[in-house]
Amino acid sequence: MIFQKIKGVFIDGKKDLCKKSPLKEYLSPKYVYIPLLQRTSNLKAEVKVGDEVKVGQVVATNEQQMNVRVHASVSGKVTAIKKVWHSSGKMVDAIEIENNFQNQLTESIKREENVDSLTREQLIKKMELAGITGLGGAGFPTHIKYKTKAKIDTVIINAVECEPYLTCDYHFITTYPEKLLKGATYMMKAADATKVVIAYKINNKQIREAVQPFLPKFPHVELFPVKNVYPAGWEKFIVEQVTKKTYNGLPAEAGVIVNNSATAITFADAVEMNIPLIARPISITGEGIKKPGSFYVPIGTKVSELVELCGGYVEGLDPLKYNYIAGGPMTGRAIFIDDLVVNDTLGAVIVKPVIEGLHPECLGCGKCADVCPAFLTPTEIKKAFERKDIKLLSDLNANKCVECGLCSYICPSHVEITEAVAKGKDLLRKGAK
Ligand code: SF4
Ligand code: SF4
């Protein structure tokens, strides 16, 4: 394959809205709602209404699909199984737990006495038991990546967070820099690799300043600044930058495993304290939020409570003139905030003004193809999708779209081109079965 270098595009970050205030903890909501959906896995509830649960207790599983397990994020009583909005844009069943505010921990949460002697297999088992998933948005069960048979030499920690508005990874790293290095080191051992590279955006010098003082204790870890462009946080972009290698399928082909920084920090707690994935950082931000901020919250927290903690919406906000987005503005989904709950992949909720003056005719300028990091021709894919031409979708490599949103962002005519390409990719996937 001819190696084509991914360029990326500079995008106004809008991160200052949220960046200056520190990460706040909001650990005791009155109720949490644990979604019975993780990525594409429907989960089976392992508890019923009326059961008492402790923090860290397994409450839902899917043993058929990658042995997914999900844990209670507060202690208390299961009061209902009810529908809530999920960041996937669907309503899903969720286990409602009423918090008893006693923070009773399940028996398995305790300090690990033999951290340094844990084997690769034991570390991977801990990932699995703790239900660790990719907190950067992918939600893929982490232990599956580490069971690879490929020879891995480098674990790359993705601390790039390249989409505009998002700052939860930034806040999590600058609050817990040593935990990041510990979690990354445990990942390196779990991969049988010899080094860790933490990739961050060059303009985020605060990340370097936070991590650097701890580096002497972690000589196998290095910091790697990447350009301030989008999509610099895309796995393939980072692997290319760090290793000068590319791949077709998975980063393991280039001898690499990539994990998000929040996943590494969460894994440090799983290794040292046997704490499963029960909480995550999230940014509540955008021009429509009075005091944007980042929070560390239990999985299942209602987003509306976090909006209240931000002082609510700006005065006189006209809901019709704002978009409510779960996730980043480039890759997220339109949602209803009030019933949305925090799940493992939800790193942000954004309230931003609607773009005025939509004019959806294609001008044929070719800018979308110029910026596409996967080297696709989005307009041709859109046409192939509209004609339901599976063969052409395949010839145009629609399956290579990473849904980064850059084609829509760059389009001077505001054509919803990403959506059309994503639908074409989906049609190709279904048609190819
Ligand atoms: S950027 Fe927009 S207007 Fe230009 S070719 Fe692509 S879809 Fe058409
Ligand atoms: S959304 Fe897909 S087609 Fe559009 S720029 Fe990104 S990778 Fe290319």
Side-chain angles (χ1 to χ4, degrees):
M1 163 185 176
I2 299 168
F3 187 85
Q4 289 173 284
K5 215 165 170 2
I6 300 162
K7 289 180 289 199
V9 172
F10 172 77
I11 294 181
D12 178 13
K14 308 258 187 191
K15 295 190 187 252
D16 283 347
L17 284 172
C18 197
K19 211 168 167 182
K20 290 193 182 111
S21 55
L23 183 73
K24 299 175 205 72
E25 288 188 344
Y26 178 63
L27 295 177
S28 291
K30 172 91 175 122
Y31 287 94
V32 295
Y33 305 82
I34 310 293
L36 291 173
L37 176 74
Q38 198 179 68
R39 203 165 162 266
T40 55
S41 291
N42 287 312
L43 307 180
K44 173 170 155 267
E46 300 289 350
V47 289
K48 56 187 187 318
V49 173
D51 285 357
E52 300 285 341
V53 293
K54 293 180 175 173
V55 176
Q57 180 179 329
V58 174
V59 292
T61 57
N62 184 337
E63 283 167 11
Q64 278 74 44
Q65 272 193 308
M66 300 188 264
N67 206 12
V68 172
R69 48 181 65 215
V70 170
H71 306 77
S73 55
V74 298
S75 62
K77 186 185 251 183
V78 175
T79 41
I81 308 277
K82 63 198 291 189
K83 297 272 185 209
V84 295
W85 281 104
H86 186 265
S87 64
S88 60
K90 298 185 214 156
M91 282 205 99
V92 303
D93 283 332
I95 301 167
E96 179 186 84
I97 304 172
E98 184 179 6
N99 195 346
N100 62 13
F101 299 105
Q102 290 177 24
N103 198 31
Q104 296 154 315
L105 306 181
T106 193
E107 295 64 30
S108 56
I109 297 184
K110 54 178 185 266
R111 181 164 292 286
E112 175 65 57
E113 299 300 338
N114 304 311
V115 169
D116 293 334
S117 58
L118 289 170
T119 63
R120 175 183 186 191
E121 289 70 27
Q122 286 170 322
L123 287 163
I124 296 174
K125 194 68 194 168
K126 274 182 182 278
M127 274 175 191
E128 186 174 339
L129 294 177
I132 305 286
T133 59
L135 301 186
F140 192 76
T142 306
H143 66 97
I144 302 288
K145 286 188 185 181
Y146 284 79
K147 284 181 179 166
T148 178
K149 298 225 170 355
K151 171 78 192 103
I152 303 296
D153 14 81
T154 307
V155 169
I156 298 179
I157 300 297
N158 184 351
V160 176
E161 200 172 39
C162 61
E163 282 203 60
Y165 291 92
L166 308 192
T167 60
C168 73
D169 286 351
Y170 166 88
H171 279 114
F172 211 28
I173 297 166
T174 51
T175 309
Y176 299 109
E178 189 175 12
K179 243 186 218 187
L180 171 71
L181 293 167
K182 285 182 172 180
T185 301
Y186 300 136
M187 284 174 159
M188 181 186 81
K189 288 186 182 168
D192 208 10
T194 51
K195 72 170 175 171
V196 174
V197 176
I198 299 175
Y200 69 103
K201 257 193 187 171
I202 191 154
N203 53 315
N204 269 340
K205 66 175 187 340
Q206 297 88 343
I207 288 183
R208 173 175 283 279
E209 287 165 4
V211 170
Q212 219 157 20
F214 299 97
L215 282 180
K217 281 202 280 174
F218 299 89
H220 48 274
V221 181
E222 63 184 74
L223 289 167
F224 188 94
V226 299
K227 289 187 278 183
N228 182 16
V229 292
Y230 182 83
W234 180 30
E235 214 163 66
K236 201 163 189 171
F237 184 98
I238 296 183
V239 172
E240 272 192 28
Q241 298 277 308
V242 171
T243 66
K244 309 285 177 263
K245 293 184 209 161
T246 191
Y247 57 88
N248 286 317
L250 294 170
E253 292 162 29
V256 171
I257 291 178
V258 184
N259 276 119
N260 166 266
S261 51
T263 312
I265 293 171
T266 304
F267 187 49
D269 281 339
V271 173
E272 297 186 350
M273 293 300 298
N274 292 298
I275 299 174
L277 170 57
I278 51 171
R280 66 152 300 139
I282 177 168
S283 301
I284 307 294
T285 185
E287 292 85 344
I289 297 288
K290 215 180 244 175
K291 289 187 213 139
S294 291
F295 300 86
Y296 184 57
V297 301
I299 300 289
T301 302
K302 271 206 165 184
V303 168
S304 54
E305 292 175 28
L306 303 177
V307 173
E308 269 177 45
L309 291 174
C310 292
Y313 302 110
V314 291
E315 298 303 336
L317 178 137
D318 176 352
L320 296 177
K321 295 197 169 162
Y322 281 80
N323 284 326
Y324 300 75
I325 303 166
M330 309 292 284
T331 59
R333 283 177 193 270
I335 36 101
F336 299 103
I337 284 185
D338 283 354
D339 276 325
L340 181 71
V341 300
V342 176
N343 65 300
D344 60 330
T345 58
L346 186 64
V349 167
I350 301 169
V351 181
K352 71 187 263 295
V354 168
I355 300 169
E356 300 282 355
L358 289 181
H359 171 62
E361 285 99 46
C362 175
L363 310 170
C365 67
K367 286 189 176 165
C368 50
D370 282 353
V371 296
C372 176
F375 308 106
L376 305 177
T377 45
T379 48
E380 296 304 313
I381 294 174
K382 181 170 183 283
K383 283 185 211 153
F385 166 67
E386 285 159 357
R387 293 205 297 265
K388 308 279 177 266
D389 188 336
I390 308 259
K391 160 116 188 15
L392 189 54
L393 285 169
S394 171
D395 292 347
L396 293 167
N397 293 319
N399 59 323
K400 297 248 161 69
C401 170
V402 290
E403 297 178 43
C404 67
L406 207 46
C407 45
S408 286
Y409 172 82
I410 209 80
C411 176
S413 196
H414 304 303
V415 175
E416 288 287 3
I417 188 90
T418 301
E419 198 181 320
V421 177
K423 283 182 180 162
K425 176 179 159 184
D426 198 41
L427 181 66
L428 174 58
R429 187 174 53 81
K430 288 179 184 150
K433 274 185 184 166

